[in-house]
Amino acid sequence: MKQFSYPGFAGVCCLVLAQPGFAGEQQRETEISTKKQDTWSQVEKKLTSTKNEAQKTQTSISNISQLSEIQLPKTSATDLLTQENTTPQVIKVTRIKLQKTQSGLEIVLETLQGELSQPTTRVDGNTLIADIENVVLALPDGKNFQSQTPIQGIASVTVTQLDDNKVQVLLTGVENAPIARVRSSDRRLIFSLDSAPQADIELIVTAQKRPEDAQDVPISVTVIPRQEIEDAQINSFVGIANQTPNFNFSSTSSGGTEFNTYSLRGLNNQNFLTVQDSVAFYIDDVPIDYNGFLDLALLDLERVEVLRGPQSTLYGRNSSGGVVNIISRQATPEPETRISASYGRYNSREFQFSLNDALVDDKLSLRIAGAYRGQDGFIKNLATGNEIGERSRLAARAQLLWTPTPDWTVSFNSYNSFTDDGNPTYNKLNPSDPFEVNLQTEGYSKLDTNTQALKVGYNGEGFRATSITARRFTRQENVVPGSTGAIQIIDGIGSTLWTQELRFQSPETAERFQWLLGSYYESRDFNVGDAQTDFPGFGRFRRTGDDYRQTYAVFGQVDYKLIESLTVFAGLRYESSDASSDSTYESVNADGTLTPLRPAFNNEKVSNNALIPRFGLKYQLNPNLMGYVTIAEGYRPGGLNYRANSEAELRFGEEKTWSYEVGLKSSWLNNRLIANLSVFHNDVNNYQVLQYDESGFFGRVNNVDLKATGVEFELKAKPAKGFDLTASVGYVDSEYKNYFNSDTGVDLSNNQVPLAPQITYNLTAQYRSPGGLFARAELRGYGITYFDDQNQIKQDPYALVNARIGYEAEKYGIYLYANNLFDTRYITSGYLFPVPDGTAGFGDPVTYGVQIKANF
């Protein structure tokens, strides 16, 4: 594609024409200039022998700036006779639709047959005008087409009939004429616009299952785009949480993958025996069904969206606390190769690659990516003299994307990950050195997961449809020795998850009335094959459990614009689930035989169903400021506890949350400054909490009440070219309203909910110069964090600093990095078990290294 400058025009307009060829449709792009050149008079004289044709051609090529760009008409006698006796065919445009893209907007003019001719264009103020000859509008309503403010930066799109055989397209920008490219393909003429060419910050999300500007979404959502993911080296859920207010995620990543813990807006997952987490985690539309399976190697990411608050009317899997939506990079016809490698302290090494290409032009594309991450241990085991806590992660993903027609897409996605870690970083509470232990037995943690998903999408004139069929299998094994070899937990956990989600929704061109209707089915077989615990002086105890659950749901939401500035929305979900469980609890004798400690539970059953509403409104106070109010219910079904010691402990009840939120979203200085504020309150009844007994060990699931109130503020700014500032702060007060521990007889009411820091904040300053210099500094901070219901174990406020500096060229980059630059010591988890020492997990010490990236 050749590009030419337009004096006084803030963009480039290109035309792509279909050309016949043996490999299928090929495209030719011609620059359309708006300034007549002084040399045209000379060209006119040379074309006098073909007067009739030249007069027609003059309009379309009069703006071409170089004679070499002109395609001269055919001048043989036969050609001239043929041209004079040929009447141009008038083409009917039967459909016009707008399609939002990551860079802006596409205006698509469709015909039933025939190719639309090349438009002639000019610029008038902030409007790009394109005239198309030999065409008439034949739209279903018999009228012209107009759309007001389809995306930020574009004031209007208008398509009108000028005369009997000419159509005019008017593309009006808010401040400047839009950047435009025009291409024709398969009975379509497509105008591609980049929205707000002067705007610096614009984030397109699919949080509501349709592409839209994040500032238009009446939900508290943190968006992390691809470039920011790469700059911040985000490759895990820990990294995602670090960029999100009121989101805390801890992983004893050198082992102990079973004990990933998090909190979002004061709701945590400390109870890992419940049916489902309070937060739904998705990777490419496939949910992750258990918190122990979250310690994954994320790779080749396009975007991350973190939605805070209950989400039940737009997503297949219900969630009471929020959604973390991971979107990987999609296959495209464009060839691409990317590689990166890094090496650092503790022999840390990482290698990533991605390959993308078309297998069949414009029809079938393939993308594959892989990553390996490894690191030696940094924990000294005094008993053996070994350095333990080594890490190893291997992950790969592939996507095959088929686009048989412009309206249909079919993709097959596969994700596979294997974790093989050494002993976790657990130690006693308050040790003299957190990275020295005395273990007679050294532990390990292994996690193997593979996912396959088939996604079929239809994007039609009247509606859109999406079907997602997925299977996910995960296997986990852990050996977690105690601080003096006193205890080890051996888990063999397997899960097979089948999901089917189906959505129908309004077309992307819908403005005043938007709707979505969906259904969801989930089949989950969760098996704990062998969980053993050693108690010195008491013996070894063994538990098994097999939980099978089926979930059915239908959900929907409608958004209606009452007036231009006011939109109301309401949604409803009906969910039903049936579960059955088998479990045993036995002591392991010295000769290996088993003695039952309670009767085995066989084919125990529980059923739940609920209606879950969501409603609210958003009001556009002015073009730069939007406010919204949301009231939504969150829900988690009841279930069966395989660790129950008696019939009375077997069942736990449904959890219900009422969430109230008020928010403001604003963008200023042509999107160079974005500032968002939200205030929320969660009122939770029958919160499913994991209860600990006097020995500090867990077993019973209790239903208690809690409340969480908080505020969140996010800011993104571009104060100067190449300079970016990102900041956020979250505050939450999450406490139990009434909680009586039936095992210990202690009243825990008014205690703080564990794992939820009262304050989270981050500040990032980054500079990328035209000359190639890159520099980035991050400050992350956390307020007081409690780790147990009695609030005896806590981490005082602390802050971490990360830094990165490098040089970037067009095809490669080299960087130096340091994480936890000042070697801060802090705990990420804490337990009162075993009494009296307790147990704590510790964050990583300072790490540093070098990274190299290249793309081709």
Side-chain angles (χ1 to χ4, degrees), residues 25 47 124 128 194 238 280 330 363 447 480 568 580 743 815:
E25 287 189 351
L47 297 177
D124 183 6
L128 175 64
D194 287 350
V238 174
Q330 301 298 293
K363 297 295 182 184
L447 179 67
V480 184
V568 296
S580 62
D743 286 319
Y815 311 86

Side-chain angles (χ1 to χ4, degrees), residues 578-624:
D578 298 293
S580 62
S581 178
D582 301 325
S583 61
T584 64
Y585 180 32
E586 303 154 324
S587 64
V588 182
N589 302 319
D591 59 0
T593 59
L594 303 174
T595 301
L597 298 176
R598 63 157 169 81
F601 295 137
N602 295 315
N603 201 28
E604 299 288 342
K605 296 183 181 296
V606 65
S607 297
N608 298 274
N609 60 79
L611 279 172
I612 311 167
R614 177 178 185 264
F615 48 91
L617 59 86
K618 73 171 185 177
Y619 187 79
Q620 196 72 41
L621 286 84
N622 59 54
N624 299 319

Side-chain angles (χ1 to χ4, degrees), residues 653-682:
E654 300 169 296
E655 173 186 309
K656 294 185 178 181
T657 301
W658 278 105
S659 178
Y660 310 88
E661 180 176 343
V662 178
L664 290 173
K665 293 191 173 185
S666 65
S667 57
W668 309 96
L669 303 176
N670 201 16
N671 273 17
R672 291 186 178 90
L673 174 65
I674 288 178
N676 298 333
L677 176 70
S678 60
V679 179
F680 65 89
H681 175 74
N682 294 327

Side-chain angles (χ1 to χ4, degrees), residues 232-233 343-345 776-780 800-805 815-823 845-851:
Q233 295 181 287
Y343 184 81
R345 191 185 187 195
R776 179 183 177 93
E778 300 176 0
L779 172 67
R780 302 200 314 269
L800 303 175
V801 175
N802 299 334
R804 196 165 181 238
I805 189 170
Y815 311 86
L816 299 175
Y817 67 87
N819 297 323
N820 190 6
L821 184 62
F822 298 107
D823 204 21
V846 57
T847 58
Y848 42 79
V850 60
Q851 181 191 41

Side-chain angles (χ1 to χ4, degrees), residues 24 246 293 318 365 387 394 419 427 459 479 510 516 602 632 635 724 770 811 817 822:
N246 282 329
F293 302 157
N318 176 40
S365 302
E387 299 288 339
L394 184 65
T419 298
N427 205 334
N459 190 352
V479 172
L516 180 145
N602 295 315
Y635 171 77
D724 294 90
K811 297 293 186 181
Y817 67 87
F822 298 107

Side-chain angles (χ1 to χ4, degrees), residues 281-288 451-453 468 470-472 499:
F281 293 84
Y282 285 88
I283 298 180
D284 295 329
D285 296 304
V286 180
I288 302 174
T451 303
Q452 302 81 38
I468 306 163
R471 172 194 176 274
R472 180 182 176 86
T499 60

Side-chain angles (χ1 to χ4, degrees), residues 348-552:
S348 66
R349 59 271 181 201
E350 179 175 338
F351 176 77
Q352 292 192 66
F353 77 92
S354 63
L355 300 173
N356 186 97
D357 208 348
L359 301 181
V360 178
D361 289 346
D362 297 327
K363 297 295 182 184
L364 188 65
S365 302
L366 174 67
R367 185 176 189 88
I368 60 174
Y372 167 75
R373 301 184 184 113
Q375 179 178 302
D376 292 349
F378 50 77
I379 306 168
K380 181 72 172 180
N381 186 2
L382 301 177
T384 63
N386 297 330
E387 299 288 339
I388 62 175
E390 63 275 12
R391 309 172 185 178
S392 177
R393 279 163 178 72
L394 184 65
R397 66 172 293 263
Q399 183 190 63
L400 190 65
L401 179 64
W402 180 40
T403 53
T405 70
D407 289 338
W408 287 90
T409 58
V410 180
S411 64
F412 177 77
N413 298 275
S414 178
Y415 174 82
N416 300 270
S417 175
F418 180 71
T419 298
D420 187 5
D421 288 347
N423 201 88
T425 57
Y426 291 121
N427 205 334
K428 296 179 181 180
L429 287 171
N430 304 313
S432 57
D433 187 336
F435 302 124
E436 282 189 356
V437 296
N438 186 7
L439 302 177
Q440 301 300 320
T441 302
E442 295 177 355
Y444 63 84
S445 178
K446 297 180 179 181
L447 179 67
D448 183 9
T449 182
N450 64 83
T451 303
Q452 302 81 38
L454 178 66
K455 182 176 181 179
V456 180
Y458 171 73
N459 190 352
E461 180 180 0
F463 68 93
R464 288 175 290 153
T466 305
S467 172
I468 306 163
T469 306
R471 172 194 176 274
R472 180 182 176 86
F473 173 78
T474 311
R475 174 73 179 174
Q476 181 189 76
E477 296 181 9
N478 292 287
V479 172
V480 184
S483 56
T484 59
I487 176 178
Q488 63 179 359
I489 302 173
I490 307 170
D491 284 344
I493 297 175
S495 175
T496 302
L497 182 75
W498 285 92
T499 60
Q500 173 63 58
E501 184 173 350
L502 185 62
R503 296 193 303 267
F504 295 92
Q505 59 191 117
S506 55
E508 292 181 0
T509 54
E511 295 183 355
R512 193 173 190 85
F513 179 67
Q514 296 175 325
W515 55 270
L516 180 145
L517 179 64
S519 63
Y520 180 72
Y521 168 75
E522 177 179 300
S523 170
R524 179 196 187 206
D525 190 356
F526 188 84
N527 178 264
V528 180
D530 189 6
Q532 301 189 31
T533 307
D534 282 349
F535 291 93
F538 294 94
R540 172 172 289 190
F541 302 88
R542 176 179 181 268
R543 295 182 185 271
T544 65
D546 190 2
D547 185 272
Y548 178 71
R549 177 175 292 268
Q550 287 184 306
T551 301
Y552 306 84

Side-chain angles (χ1 to χ4, degrees), residues 99-104 202-225 282-286 302-307 311 313-316 323-328 330 455 459 464 466 468 501 503 505 508 514 516 555 557 614 665:
Q99 299 178 160
K100 292 184 180 180
T101 66
Q102 291 184 359
S103 60
E202 184 172 12
L203 302 173
I204 302 299
V205 299
T206 55
Q208 297 192 113
K209 300 304 180 183
R210 56 180 182 261
E212 55 190 333
D213 192 320
Q215 292 301 102
D216 295 333
V217 180
I219 298 174
S220 291
V221 55
T222 296
V223 185
I224 312 175
Y282 285 88
I283 298 180
D284 295 329
D285 296 304
V286 180
E302 175 64 33
R303 187 173 69 257
V304 175
E305 302 168 358
V306 182
L307 288 69
Q311 306 297 327
T313 61
L314 294 170
Y315 287 80
V323 168
V324 179
N325 195 22
I326 308 293
I327 300 102
S328 301
Q330 301 298 293
K455 182 176 181 179
N459 190 352
R464 288 175 290 153
T466 305
I468 306 163
E501 184 173 350
R503 296 193 303 267
Q505 59 191 117
E508 292 181 0
Q514 296 175 325
L516 180 145
F555 55 92
Q557 180 171 305
R614 177 178 185 264
K665 293 191 173 185

